[in-house]
Amino acid sequence: MSGQQPSLSVSLVSQVDRVSRALSELQRGAPIILVDGDEAAVATAAELLEPLRLQGLRSLAGQGHLSVTAARASTLKARAYDGDLARIRLNDAYGAPEIRAVADPALDLERPLLGPHLTLRDGSAGLDRLALKLCKMALLLPAAAIWPLPSAEAGRAMAARYELITLESALLEKDASWTPVVAARLPVSVSE
C-alpha cells in the first residue's frame, strides 16, 4: 500500500437530503441559493421574512422582487407577465411587514391599500418557478422573495461565504418522487 486513499465517487448526501435541507431552511425563514444553469438567485419564503434578514439581503444583493402565483397577482391587481406567476418589484416602500401582507391573503383586510404593484416583464422566471414550487413543497404560502445574482458561480460563492444551502434545479427534475400527491390542512380538533 502506498498510503493513498482510494478515490470514491460515493456521495454522502443524497438528492432527497439536499431538497429536504432546502425545505427545512425555507420553513425556518432562512434564505437558500437556487441555481439553474448559469443563473442563480437567493430565495426565501415571503411569509417568514424578518426585517433584519431583509436588510441584510438588500445590502448584499439589491432590492430584489417578490414572486407570487398568477391567482394571487390577480387579487392584487398586479400583472402576471410570466403567465403562471408575477414578479413584483420590491422598492424601499416594501418592508418585511408589507412583503408578508402582499404574500398572505389572510392579511388583505388588515392592509387593504397596498399597491400599485409594478411587475417585471423581462428576464427569466425559471428560478422564481422553482422557488414557488419549493415553498409549496414546504407547505408555505406560494410566495418567495428573490434576489437574482450575476451568475451561478456568484451564487455558489455566496453560499460558501454565508453557509447557505444551494439547490440545483436539476435535482427536482431528475426525481419524479417529488411530485406532491395531496396536501391539506384539516380541522383536527373538530374531527372524529
Side-chain angles (χ1 to χ4, degrees), residues 70 114 125 159:
L114 290 172

Side-chain angles (χ1 to χ4, degrees), residues 23 26 69 131-143 180 183:
L23 297 178
L26 288 173
T69 63
L132 293 182
K133 181 176 184 174
L134 289 168
C135 285
K136 290 177 186 178
M137 289 171 65
L139 302 179
L140 299 168
L141 292 172

Side-chain angles (χ1 to χ4, degrees), residues 75-100:
T75 300
L76 297 168
K77 305 295 187 236
R79 293 186 186 260
Y81 291 113
D82 298 305
D84 57 337
L85 63 90
R87 295 174 289 149
I88 299 171
R89 293 177 195 219
L90 296 178
N91 57 34
D92 290 333
Y94 290 89
E98 288 77 21
I99 291 171
R100 283 194 303 274

